Amino acid sequence: MAAPNSQSPSVRTHFKTPEGRYKLSHEKTHPSSVLHYSHGKAITQVTLAHLKDKPPQTPSTSSSSSSSGGVGARFSAARLLGTGNGGSRLNFGGGNGFSGRLTGGGKSTTVSSAGMGLSNGPLASSYDGEGTFLIFNVGDALFVSDYVSQDKDPIKCLHFSNANPVSHTYDPDAKDGHDLLIGLTSGDVYSASLRQQLQDSGKKLVGALHYNKDGAINPSRCTSVAWVPHGDGFFVVAHADGNVYIYDKNKDGSGDVPFPPVKDQAQFSVAHARSSKSNPIARWHICQGSINEIAFSPNGFYLATVGRDGYLRVFDYAKEQLACGSKSYFGALLCCAWSPDGKYVLTGGEDDLVQVWSMEDQRVVAWGEGHNSWVSAVAFDAHWIAPPSDESGESVTYRFGSVGQDTQLLLWDLAMDEVVVPLRRLGGTLSGSPAFREGGALSGRWDGVQPVGILHPAPVRKEVPKLAPVMAHRVHAEPLSSLIFTKDAILTACHEGHVKIWDRPTQGDSPARNSDTADASSKEKQPPVKSGLSQFKQ
Amino acid sequence: MVMGSSGSKLEKALGDQFPEGERYFGLENFGNTCYCNSVLQALYFCVPFRDQLLEHASRSKGSGETDDNLLTCLSELFTQINSQKKKTGVIAPKRFVQRVKKQNELFRSYMHQDAHEFLNFLLNELVDILEKEAKASSKPTSGQVHPDKLANGTANGIANGNHPHPVVTWVHKIFQGTLTNETRCLRCETITARDETFLDLSLDIEQNSSITSCLRNFSSTETLNAEDKFFCDKCCSLQEAQKRMKIKSPPRILALHLKRFKYIEQLGRYKKLSYRVVFPLELKLCNTTDDAPGSEAEYSLFAVVVHVGSGPNHGHYVSLVKSHNHWLFFDDENVEIIDESVVQTFFGSTQEYSNNTDHGYILFYESLEQKH
């Protein structure tokens, strides 16, 4: 599984796994005239956005109601699409009808005869129906590509002056209004409607709300943005100075700074905006040093953060308290991801490792060793189905993946016992090593179940079970930066802004029937995946 | 001492954050002496190393020694920097460079030199001088073990006068680590281990790798077979064997040399490998023997000597140094404050021909372990 040892190893167009061969289906890239990657100013991230069919047109009112409704008020469905672009205060329409009045380009609003669907059918140019899109940043631009189309070129380019888009995310559950978030290297943040961008022919963001304008609230770069799940339009932005802000998309970004300076840079603290007009509404100072990625647990109860100081921190979002946390082996943590059942958190970082943190056990349950450089992105494969096992279903196998700056994609299988016996329910210490309490500013009150969380120190190498990958391959020529699992494929992206889509093995493509496998051993039927926790040879 | 314009900028940038007693001085270049300047800056900001040299200088002042060697020249230079009235400026390390050139004809030309070769030469020279000093001081009372009066850290110079222990100088205490070479005969499974000391580690590098991965490769298992068979004492014959080198005793200061200059046979000359090799600001060694004390020790990066240029012969060296938690960029006379994130721009290039030719070449890590 080691990659070939040459300076320019051949990059394969397929890779083998226990479940079969993944084949390179198609690629997405950007016009080469767009500037090249320059020293990590902005590394390409990929967001997958599945636009649902538009809800039926509601009678649109012609009044231009103010968009700054009450605090946290949900927006009514009928609003007008505004004209013009940019600006920090705009009346905008959601995905609904705009009765023929459009910005710029003047495309007619023909309702597509059939929804675009994922698999076939031409892409209707009006983008009224559903569709799946890839959003990725390169340099000072944000590109949108059609996921299904084999065409390499993007269908939309959004240009940003003065700063580079560096983080973005899409809210598939947004009922109306804005569903796209974009964070920039200048610290500025925009929320916008993806559909509206697709329907506009220009190269600038339209109908967007602008937050932290000119870095007035926080001048440091945005590092990660996330919608609050089921959150009625609330979203969270992380910055390179260790601060995280909670915003409400239904309010304008306010110009004044609503928070007092952070008293103790080393302590976790939460400050709420005094005025109801403020947006952001709260600031969480997490730690000293950059927060590199944030991720909500699927149910929205927990917010995980990882950063420069090497700590994974899991916060109870509603209680605004640290639930638990753990240290990297060494170095900064660069990425984190939740398992679909919310039981595990993956982290990857500068120690070349992928760590699996168990929320129930409150400890690191496995270390993935296999990358030859820093781990840039981690993700669970929610669509992977474990092969049938002879066992009576006592164990659950999780499949996850990681991509690194070594240009490799690694896939892992982790088998966990169904009946988990937690070592310590209340988040105690690890094997006698000292733990310390974090969040001195927080009250030490017991709410009956769990005390304020503890940050566990770095694990001792000998004490953590090691996990070996089931697959390791160089999939790009450049360091990798992004990884997404979809129902039918794996998406990987590299620093230079190239995205590859790898189709999952088809039904008949099991290793036993695969005629062009080189080694004889794979011709035998693969044993069902059982214990993925093997002692990796030192 | 001319106050460069970068000096005043630096003072302004730090303001009252300027560390008490610290001096940030650039070094004048006398014609391709950047290989020397960059290493000197890294060593000056190696606090235990600097302290020893300052101590040595203050001791020899009193004794009226007129010895002119690399140790005295270096401690003189460091004292000169340390005792400047101004906080920033430029110093011309004339005497030191003259001494270097006198000592080693390799450095006599005005050609470009290799910074790692210079570091290696300097540390070994210092060890030689300190060993000689230690032996000289204990000679008159041979046969007796007496506590070394010289406070330069040498210990147990001669024991019993019969089997002299190797002198452990303060250079060793700071930079020396121990490797254990294990060779396992594949026939009888006997493992032969041989220890070897080192003052720095030279690592082969690969494209798109990390320093951790390079360290792992350094300690990877090599198979000895075909013409390279191993003579097993137990089997009394040549046998196939497996060999590997692991760190038995990690050093206090870990100096890692990235082997960026490779001899390419087809070209008949050296070529610079611009590979992107990432290195973290904190590090733990992955290639220690299981029972190595302090194998979980965490290291903190405090200096990087950077090679600038596309080839081995037309290059320049600069250094990045961490002092009191802020990073500084030293380019001969120029000194600038930089953000920690700038260190990452010196990892290397993913492409063969790139505009970026500034690559990390020697990394200096300091152990955070308290026992030292």
Side-chain angles (χ1 to χ4, degrees):
Chain A
M1 95 192 74
N5 260 2
S6 59
Q7 190 187 352
S8 40
S10 54
V11 175
R12 312 275 288 275
T13 54
H14 68 270
F15 53 83
K16 283 177 290 180
T17 68
E19 64 267 21
R21 233 163 52 126
Y22 285 74
K23 281 179 277 220
L24 181 62
S25 162
H26 54 294
E27 295 180 50
K28 296 292 177 191
T29 185
H30 54 88
S32 51
S33 58
V34 176
L35 59 87
H36 46 274
Y37 167 65
S38 55
H39 290 308
K41 257 179 103 183
I43 290 168
T44 297
Q45 297 296 322
V46 183
T47 292
L48 191 72
H50 180 61
L51 270 184
K52 299 188 181 114
D53 252 320
K54 266 168 38 190
Q57 292 196 13
T58 53
S60 50
T61 63
S62 49
S63 64
S64 45
S65 49
S66 161
S67 62
S68 53
V71 177
R74 289 195 63 170
F75 263 51
S76 65
R79 263 179 282 108
L80 272 182
L81 178 67
T83 53
N85 41 17
S88 58
R89 228 188 101 95
L90 214 65
N91 301 324
F92 59 92
N96 311 5
F98 35 85
S99 26
R101 272 216 325 280
L102 285 164
T103 59
K107 286 197 184 68
S108 61
T109 48
T110 49
V111 175
S112 62
S113 51
M116 274 176 273
L118 268 177
S119 41
N120 25 17
L123 183 61
S125 57
S126 62
Y127 304 104
D128 275 354
E130 62 167 333
T132 305
F133 303 95
L134 288 181
I135 302 162
F136 58 102
N137 57 292
V138 184
D140 60 1
L142 195 66
F143 293 102
V144 185
S145 268
D146 179 73
Y147 174 56
V148 175
S149 152
Q150 297 275 323
D151 197 0
K152 271 195 182 180
D153 293 325
I155 57 177
K156 177 81 182 179
C157 167
L158 290 166
H159 182 261
F160 292 83
S161 39
N162 306 325
N164 293 353
V166 80
S167 176
H168 37 83
T169 188
Y170 177 75
D171 184 2
D173 299 322
K175 307 280 192 307
D176 49 27
H178 291 177
D179 49 17
L180 178 64
L181 276 182
I182 305 162
L184 280 72
T185 45
S186 54
D188 297 61
V189 180
Y190 292 94
S191 67
S193 155
L194 172 62
R195 192 185 299 278
Q196 191 179 349
Q197 310 315 310
L198 294 171
Q199 285 164 325
D200 180 79
S201 61
K203 286 201 156 196
K204 294 268 180 189
L205 205 58
V206 295
L209 273 182
H210 189 171
Y211 312 87
N212 190 27
K213 195 172 178 192
D214 302 325
I217 309 243
N218 189 313
S220 72
R221 66 187 270 155
C222 261
T223 53
S224 188
V225 290
W227 289 103
V228 178
H230 328 299
D232 292 342
F234 285 90
F235 62 90
V236 183
V237 178
H239 286 261
D241 64 357
N243 287 305
V244 160
Y245 297 85
I246 321 276
Y247 287 87
D248 179 358
K249 81 175 184 188
N250 301 310
K251 276 156 63 174
D252 297 327
S254 53
D256 37 85
V257 186
F259 309 110
V262 174
K263 269 186 223 140
D264 185 349
Q265 290 286 334
Q267 292 284 358
F268 168 60
S269 64
V270 176
H272 299 103
R274 286 158 291 205
S275 156
S276 63
K277 286 215 184 88
S278 296
N279 199 16
I281 62 169
R283 174 195 68 200
W284 292 25
H285 177 78
I286 308 288
C287 63
Q288 206 148 23
S290 179
I291 293 297
N292 294 328
E293 186 161 26
I294 58 175
F296 276 98
S297 60
N299 61 10
F301 286 4
Y302 295 108
L303 175 65
T305 71
V306 288
R308 164 73 186 91
D309 70 353
Y311 279 96
L312 159 70
R313 290 178 173 81
V314 179
F315 295 95
D316 181 321
Y317 181 65
K319 291 206 186 98
E320 297 178 330
Q321 275 179 11
L322 179 76
C324 58
S326 163
K327 173 86 173 56
S328 66
Y329 187 41
F330 61 85
L333 285 178
L334 304 173
C335 53
C336 60
W338 288 84
S339 61
D341 57 13
K343 288 187 183 172
Y344 301 98
V345 184
L346 295 174
T347 58
E350 294 179 347
D351 49 15
D352 297 6
L353 298 169
V354 177
Q355 289 203 40
V356 186
W357 170 259
S358 162
M359 287 298 288
E360 290 176 343
D361 289 0
Q362 293 280 292
R363 66 183 172 96
V364 174
V365 293
W367 261 6
E369 288 179 340
H371 278 288
N372 296 321
S373 188
W374 297 353
V375 182
S376 320
V378 283
F380 276 90
D381 185 349
H383 306 275
W384 177 84
I385 299 162
S389 147
D390 296 330
E391 303 266 315
S392 53
E394 274 171 10
S395 76
V396 177
T397 304
Y398 291 82
R399 161 64 62 87
F400 59 91
S402 56
V403 291
Q405 296 194 25
D406 55 1
T407 76
Q408 292 195 104
L409 163 68
L410 267 55
L411 295 177
W412 315 79
D413 283 339
L414 179 66
M416 298 306 296
D417 292 334
E418 198 74 271
V419 179
V420 176
V421 179
L423 290 183
R424 281 165 189 43
R425 259 281 152 200
L426 301 173
T429 59
L430 268 180
S431 325
S433 35
F436 59 91
R437 221 150 237 280
E438 140 108 332
L442 307 169
S443 72
R445 67 186 158 90
W446 288 68
D447 57 5
V449 178
Q450 280 199 319
V452 170
I454 290 173
L455 278 185
H456 293 84
V460 175
R461 193 170 72 205
K462 276 181 265 204
E463 292 170 13
V464 184
K466 310 292 186 303
L467 193 60
V470 299
M471 194 293 296
H473 264 287
R474 290 181 181 250
V475 291
H476 287 249
E478 300 286 321
L480 301 181
S481 53
S482 203
L483 169 68
I484 298 176
F485 288 99
T486 70
K487 190 169 61 69
D488 40 42
I490 299 180
L491 276 67
T492 56
C494 72
H495 278 188
E496 293 283 300
H498 304 298
V499 184
K500 290 188 178 180
I501 294 124
W502 307 84
D503 277 345
R504 290 183 186 268
T506 49
Q507 275 292 28
D509 197 22
S510 69
R513 291 189 225 172
N514 199 337
S515 56
D516 46 351
T517 50
D519 42 24
S521 60
S522 63
K523 290 220 174 92
E524 293 154 26
K525 188 161 195 288
Q526 294 276 356
V529 180
K530 281 166 68 169
S531 173
L533 284 170
S534 54
Q535 276 299 323
F536 187 67
K537 78 164 164 73
Q538 273 295 6
Chain B
M1 310 314 139
V2 176
M3 169 86 103
S5 61
S6 68
S8 46
K9 241 176 48 188
L10 174 61
E11 274 186 69
K12 250 194 213 142
L14 284 168
D16 40 323
Q17 295 284 312
F18 203 105
E20 188 69 47
E22 201 58 73
R23 299 286 175 268
Y24 299 133
F25 273 69
L27 296 170
E28 215 179 289
N29 185 321
F30 299 125
N32 295 325
T33 57
C34 52
Y35 68 90
C36 172
N37 290 346
S38 56
V39 172
L40 287 177
Q41 296 291 9
L43 290 175
Y44 184 76
F45 289 97
C46 177
V47 175
F49 185 83
R50 185 211 298 182
D51 287 348
Q52 287 289 348
L53 282 163
L54 294 178
E55 216 187 311
H56 186 275
S58 59
R59 258 184 287 111
S60 43
K61 247 193 209 157
S63 67
E65 277 173 33
T66 50
D67 257 11
D68 188 39
N69 59 36
L70 221 51
L71 174 60
T72 56
C73 289
L74 185 61
S75 42
E76 212 180 270
L77 174 64
F78 277 18
T79 307
Q80 202 186 356
I81 299 172
N82 186 248
S83 55
Q84 287 296 308
K85 286 213 186 82
K86 297 208 168 110
K87 291 184 189 169
T88 61
V90 180
I91 278 182
K94 247 200 186 108
R95 194 144 174 252
F96 179 75
V97 174
Q98 270 171 1
R99 187 73 228 171
V100 168
K101 293 188 183 233
K102 192 169 171 188
Q103 205 76 23
N104 189 332
E105 64 174 276
L106 183 72
F107 300 112
R108 242 167 252 168
S109 80
Y110 283 96
M111 292 268 294
H112 292 267
Q113 305 293 346
D114 185 300
H116 174 251
E117 248 182 279
F118 171 69
L119 171 68
N120 201 37
F121 160 72
L122 179 59
L123 291 181
N124 282 299
E125 227 1 73
L126 293 176
V127 163
D128 281 347
I129 296 166
L130 289 168
E131 281 177 347
K132 285 196 187 96
E133 278 184 6
K135 284 184 182 133
S137 72
S138 56
K139 248 198 202 132
T141 54
S142 66
Q144 256 183 23
V145 179
H146 72 110
D148 193 339
K149 294 224 166 64
L150 286 179
N152 66 354
T154 56
N156 292 332
I158 312 264
N160 300 328
N162 286 329
H163 298 284
H165 289 293
V167 177
V168 179
T169 67
W170 53 258
V171 173
H172 292 119
K173 285 189 178 175
I174 293 172
F175 288 98
Q176 184 171 275
T178 311
L179 286 173
T180 182
N181 266 292
E182 292 175 353
T183 312
R184 185 166 70 99
C185 171
L186 287 175
R187 183 161 173 252
C188 67
E189 302 283 323
T190 311
I191 298 178
T192 317
R194 183 175 54 88
D195 286 355
E196 177 184 322
T197 60
F198 64 90
L199 294 176
D200 66 33
L201 291 177
S202 281
L203 306 174
D204 285 309
I205 58 173
E206 279 176 7
Q207 178 58 285
N208 291 318
S209 61
S210 64
I211 199 76
T212 297
S213 161
C214 296
L215 283 164
R216 200 177 304 122
N217 287 340
F218 178 82
S219 293
S220 61
T221 305
E222 188 193 331
T223 305
L224 302 172
N225 55 13
E227 287 101 43
D228 277 334
K229 286 207 182 93
F230 167 69
F231 188 89
C232 174
D233 288 336
K234 192 155 179 223
C235 297
C236 295
S237 53
L238 285 172
Q239 296 296 338
E240 285 200 352
Q242 281 185 336
K243 179 179 138 179
R244 67 180 183 187
M245 268 190 300
K246 285 208 158 185
I247 296 178
K248 181 174 179 176
S249 174
R252 180 177 177 187
I253 301 289
L254 177 68
L256 300 174
H257 166 230
L258 275 62
K259 290 163 79 174
R260 287 197 179 274
F261 300 112
K262 189 171 181 180
Y263 186 75
I264 310 288
E265 277 212 56
Q266 296 104 304
L267 298 173
R269 59 177 166 86
Y270 280 88
K271 181 188 154 159
K272 181 181 177 185
L273 302 174
S274 58
Y275 297 161
R276 185 168 185 268
V277 179
V278 301
F279 46 89
L281 296 167
E282 290 91 40
L283 177 74
K284 281 182 183 166
L285 291 170
C286 59
N287 57 340
T288 52
T289 55
D290 288 333
D291 54 352
S295 58
E296 300 279 323
E298 185 159 329
Y299 284 86
S300 174
L301 183 73
F302 70 90
V304 182
V305 168
V306 173
H307 179 270
V308 179
S310 53
N313 295 321
H314 310 282
H316 180 52
Y317 287 100
V318 297
S319 24
L320 311 173
V321 152
K322 186 170 87 166
S323 169
H324 300 268
N325 279 319
H326 47 254
W327 281 88
L328 298 161
F329 176 80
F330 284 89
D331 181 356
D332 288 329
E333 312 82 30
N334 293 313
V335 187
E336 271 174 40
I337 191 166
I338 55 172
D339 188 70
E340 180 186 87
S341 57
V342 172
V343 176
Q344 301 208 344
T345 62
F346 294 96
F347 287 154
S349 319
T350 59
Q351 285 149 13
E352 179 114 16
Y353 303 104
S354 150
N355 288 336
N356 171 30
T357 60
D358 305 358
H359 310 120
Y361 184 52
I362 312 173
L363 311 175
F364 292 86
Y365 283 92
E366 167 181 46
S367 174
L368 299 176
E369 198 94 318
Q370 289 304 331
K371 70 176 168 108
H372 298 283

